[in-house]
Each structure stands twice: as structure tokens, then as C-alpha cells.
Amino acid sequence: MSLLTNVMDHSLDEGYAEAAARKKAEGAGGMPRTLRAKLGLAAGLVLAALVVTVGAAQARIAAPAVAKEREELIDRIDQETTAADKLEDSVDELRADVGARQREALKHSGGSDQSELVGILSGATAVHGPGVKLVVNDAKEASTGGEGDPRESAGFSDTGRVRDRDLQRVVNGLWESGAEAVSINGQRLTALSAIRAAGDAILVDNRPLVPPYTVLAVGDGGELSTRFQNSADGLYLHALQENYGIRTGISTADDLRLPAAPSVIVRTAQPHTEKSEQTEKGTS
């Protein structure tokens, strides 16, 4: 009975009673929690506003300096761009001057017929005449990957894009088929020309080309076209069209005009003169 009496007399735990008393005392002696929360929120907003104000003031102070630096940088870029354009124009003028001097030297270097032939074969003279126009372009849906490509042995993957090796074979096939002069996208090819790749770009004599690639070849148009299409390189180009979607088109023309090469530089050969003949006889 004493247990039941104790439970009835102390139905509320003493801890709850102490908590209730403490809460009552805090409510009587301190400020309400809602008021404290409002004051804390107000203090936070004031601090945030202060930070934003200070940042805006600093940005406003620094804005003129930043704008000035930006203007100076733009001016420097414009100046350097103008200087680069002038240098490029100067290079083109010098190349044209060198080409003109070379062509003039060829005219006065002996028999006119022989010098003219040398100029044509070396690419130092602009030419025109009948020939073949060959257009090679990437596939319509050129991708950037692929597996199991037979061209992987040559360092290529099946991307549906024309590669430097493809243009090399096309040009060599035209030369072998009887072409007398060849150009790609207006770039005249010589015995010293190089067709290389830099990433996805094709370079002809270090000048980047963009598709479609228009190859002009001066020669006997009908015979040149037939020989090329029946050659191994022509069949290779046809296989690219059939297997990889490379777009090609070949036609004959009555009058093609090919420009002269920008500059033809002979690095090792020397002209044959009577003095050199006497030197050779003296040493033999």
C-alpha cells in the first residue's frame, strides 16, 4: 500500500517539476525567446548589409582601375594585331617579289624554251591549260572515332574525314598519271612541297587548308582523268568513297589556271658553268 500511496502522491517526476520551475523563472526574469530570435535575426541582417555595403564600396573604388587596365589591354591587343597584319602583308610582298625575281632570272638564264619549261616544272611560273578538277570532301556525317579501320595501319582511324595521307596519294597519283602542274585549294605544289597534318587540319607547305579540297591538275584532260581513275591511287580514292563516305567528284576542264608557287628555294643544287667544268677537269 505504501508504494501505491507514493505513486499517487508523486505522479509527476521530480525532474519535470524542476524543469517547469526553471522555465517559469526564466520567463519571469528574462526576455521571451521570440524577441531574442528577432533581435538575432536583425543583428544578422545588419551585419550582412554592412558586408555588402563595404564590398560595393570597395568595388566602386577599384572599378576605375580595373576599367583602365582593361582598356590598356585592349589597346595592346589592337596594336599587336595591327603589327602582325603588317608583318604578314610584308611577308606576302617579299614572297611575291622573290617569285617575280626568280621568274625573271629564269627568262634570262639561257634558252627561252628551256627556261620556260624549267619554270613550269619547278612551279615558279603560273600556268594554264586543259586538265582535271578533282574535289575531295569529308563525309556528310564525319565522326570522331571508330574501330576496326583498315587505315589504322597508316596512322588513321575511321572518322569519315579526309586525311593528309589521302591527299598525298591523290597528288602522287595525278603526277604519275601525267599531270604537268598541280595545286590544292589554290596552293601550287612543287618538288619541295609537303602535305602534313597538324591535329585535324591538313597543311600544304605549312599553310592550313579547309575542306572541300579542290585539286587542279594541268595535263591532257581526258587521258589524265582515265589514267588516274584506273591507277592504284584512283582506286584507293574510290574505296574511300565506297567504304567511308568520302565525297569525291572528278571532271575535265578546257582551261585551268594555276598560280605560281610563293617561293621556290633551291638549297643544294648549283648552276652548271664553264668554270665548274674546268675545276672538275683540273681535279680529275
Side-chain angles (χ1 to χ4, degrees):
M1 293 296 293
S2 61
L3 178 60
L4 293 175
T5 301
N6 187 28
V7 170
M8 294 297 293
D9 293 340
H10 302 84
S11 60
L12 185 62
D13 187 85
E14 295 178 357
Y16 286 104
E18 292 178 0
R22 186 169 60 253
K23 184 176 181 181
K24 183 177 181 181
E26 292 176 354
M31 63 179 63
R33 286 189 175 182
T34 55
L35 182 57
R36 287 204 304 264
K38 290 180 180 180
L39 291 176
L41 178 60
L45 292 175
V46 170
L47 181 60
L50 180 61
V51 171
V52 172
T53 303
V54 173
Q58 291 180 349
R60 185 175 181 181
I61 294 173
V66 174
K68 184 178 180 181
E69 292 179 358
R70 183 174 180 273
E71 291 177 359
E72 291 178 354
L73 181 59
I74 293 175
D75 292 339
R76 288 182 58 187
I77 292 174
D78 292 338
Q79 292 175 2
E80 295 298 331
T81 302
T82 303
D85 293 340
K86 290 182 179 179
L87 289 175
E88 187 174 356
D89 293 340
S90 177
V91 169
D92 293 338
E93 291 177 0
L94 291 175
R95 283 177 175 171
D97 183 56
V98 170
R101 291 176 182 271
Q102 288 176 341
R103 290 188 290 272
E104 189 68 21
L106 287 173
K107 292 180 181 179
H108 300 285
S109 61
S112 59
D113 294 339
Q114 183 178 1
S115 62
E116 184 177 356
L117 178 60
V118 171
I120 293 174
L121 296 179
S122 64
T125 303
V127 297
H128 71 93
V132 170
K133 178 181 179 180
L134 177 62
V135 180
V136 184
N137 199 0
D138 296 336
K140 290 184 178 180
E141 298 179 356
S143 60
T144 57
E147 296 179 357
D149 185 0
R151 291 192 291 167
E152 285 182 350
S153 59
F156 298 113
S157 61
D158 181 12
T159 62
R161 302 189 63 178
V162 180
R163 299 297 187 181
D164 56 339
R165 183 64 60 86
D166 303 332
L167 285 183
Q168 289 175 6
R169 293 202 59 168
V170 168
V171 171
N172 289 335
L174 289 171
W175 286 122
E176 187 177 358
S177 299
E180 300 174 6
V182 180
S183 70
I184 302 178
N185 286 12
Q187 183 71 19
R188 180 75 173 274
L189 301 182
T190 69
L192 302 176
S193 295
I195 302 176
R196 294 290 183 264
D200 290 333
I202 295 180
L203 307 181
V204 174
D205 290 338
N206 294 325
R207 292 193 174 187
L209 304 182
V210 295
Y213 306 102
T214 302
V215 183
L216 302 181
V218 173
D220 187 344
E223 185 176 356
L224 177 60
S225 176
T226 302
R227 285 183 178 179
F228 174 74
Q229 294 184 69
N230 293 333
S231 66
D233 298 313
L235 296 176
Y236 171 82
L237 185 61
H238 182 71
L240 294 183
Q241 181 179 8
E242 293 293 327
N243 299 328
Y244 306 108
I246 300 295
R247 291 171 288 175
T248 64
I250 187 170
S251 61
T252 59
D254 295 333
D255 188 26
L256 296 175
R257 294 186 177 275
L258 277 63
S263 179
V264 180
I265 301 175
V266 180
R267 296 180 175 85
T268 56
Q270 298 294 331
H272 188 69
T273 61
E274 295 181 358
K275 184 177 180 179
S276 61
E277 290 181 355
Q278 294 175 359
T279 303
E280 290 175 359
K281 292 179 180 180
T283 56
S284 60

